[in-house]
Amino acid sequence: MSEHDHKERLKRLEERISALKGGPQVKHHSEEHYSQAQMGWRMVIELVAGLGVGFGIGYGLDKLFGTLPIFLVLFVFLGFAAGVNTMLRTAKEFQEKQAAEPAEDDERA
């Protein structure tokens, strides 16, 4: 076989592959990177982590200084505030991602 025949066979093979691939593949909703349930759990974990860190720091400082649970209460509130702040950032990120997806779909069409 000559080099021309090889190129022609390769070209036909590429055409067949592209024809078999067809249009864009539709992903199942469970295959998405972040589903809404996963995002909800992420936000809950962020809030609980903020509370836990605040509790740990406050408890540690109260034990270290031998004080009433003033640091515990203070740092639990600070941890709660930090957790809510992180949750709001996550919600904003999720909202921006949701807003960008329809725009991407419009560009493909």
Side-chain angles (χ1 to χ4, degrees):
M1 294 188 136
S2 69
E3 185 177 331
H4 178 68
D5 292 336
H6 287 297
K7 287 183 180 181
E8 187 64 36
R9 287 182 64 201
L10 183 61
K11 182 179 177 183
R12 284 189 306 220
L13 179 62
E14 288 174 354
E15 289 172 357
R16 285 178 50 200
I17 290 173
S18 63
L20 289 175
K21 283 185 178 179
Q25 297 177 353
V26 178
K27 290 192 292 185
H28 191 264
H29 67 85
S30 64
E31 295 177 4
E32 293 180 7
H33 186 61
Y34 286 113
S35 70
Q36 291 179 355
Q38 288 173 330
M39 191 62 69
W41 276 111
R42 176 181 167 187
M43 292 170 72
V44 168
I45 289 171
E46 288 169 347
L47 178 63
V48 171
L51 284 169
V53 169
F55 178 84
I57 292 172
Y59 183 77
L61 287 174
D62 280 333
K63 279 292 190 183
L64 182 67
F65 297 129
T67 59
L68 295 174
I70 187 74
F71 288 117
L72 178 71
V73 172
L74 177 69
F75 278 95
V76 164
F77 282 128
L78 288 175
F80 179 74
V84 168
N85 188 24
T86 306
M87 281 178 53
L88 290 174
R89 237 181 306 147
T90 301
K92 184 178 178 183
E93 170 188 325
F94 187 60
Q95 185 178 19
E96 289 172 354
K97 181 183 175 197
Q98 291 292 338
E101 282 180 359
E104 291 175 359
D105 292 339
D106 291 343
E107 290 175 3
R108 291 181 195 160

